[in-house]
Amino acid sequence: LMPHSFDACCSKYRDDPVRATLEKKANKEAAAARQAEAAAKMSQLLKDRLAQGTGGAGSSQGLAEKGGDDAEDRYKRDLAAQRNRLLHNGDDSDSSSSSVHDPFANKREKREKKRERKEKREKKEKKKKDKDKDKKSKKDKKSKRREEEGEEGERERKKHKKHKRSESD
């Protein structure tokens, strides 16, 4: 049985201020729980790395030499799967409970991609400037030629254009 949307006595009343307040409170609590879960995951991961004696988050080379860390590998796989799910499923929301900032993301790759985009944009702008410069120089050459020919040459060109138009019609 569906309640009517204007029924103020119904517990599912759309504009019920009490229900709205309760939902906001529940949403805040859920967000805090997700954040606490993410923090717990990160602290556990860092504790595992420190226990192995790798020296913190910045020593990814030490892990590669020792064969890697199962927890870290699992964490990276989860993050990669989440990225793919968000990117390819068209979801704009990443409010899932496994949404955690990735401190192990490869910063060098990000910098290289950013540098490539910047170079591409600069190359495009340079190409556009050169094109504009060429157009300007052609325009200048054309105007100089017309000035040299004088008004008589221009009159002849106009007559010639009119004559061509009348022939094509």
Side-chain angles (χ1 to χ4, degrees), residues 83-100:
R83 277 191 213 107
N84 289 335
R85 183 176 61 246
L86 291 172
L87 290 174
H88 299 296
N89 291 344
D91 292 343
D92 291 336
S93 168
D94 66 340
S95 60
S96 63
S97 62
S98 64
S99 177
V100 180

Side-chain angles (χ1 to χ4, degrees), residues 109-122:
E109 289 177 4
K110 286 182 184 178
R111 282 190 213 113
E112 287 175 1
K113 287 179 183 178
K114 186 176 181 181
R115 184 180 45 79
E116 287 173 3
R117 284 194 305 266
K118 186 176 180 182
E119 287 175 356
K120 188 176 179 182
R121 185 176 60 243
E122 288 173 353

Side-chain angles (χ1 to χ4, degrees), residues 69-83:
D69 181 20
D70 291 337
E72 181 183 343
D73 292 339
R74 189 173 349 102
Y75 180 71
K76 285 184 178 180
R77 276 196 312 272
D78 290 346
L79 284 173
Q82 180 187 1
R83 277 191 213 107

Side-chain angles (χ1 to χ4, degrees), residues 28-61:
K28 282 182 183 177
E29 289 173 355
R34 282 193 307 269
Q35 204 169 18
E37 183 183 344
K41 280 184 182 180
M42 280 305 302
S43 65
Q44 183 61 39
L45 183 61
L46 290 173
K47 284 179 186 175
D48 292 346
R49 293 190 78 193
L50 288 172
Q52 287 183 348
T54 57
S59 61
S60 59
Q61 293 174 345

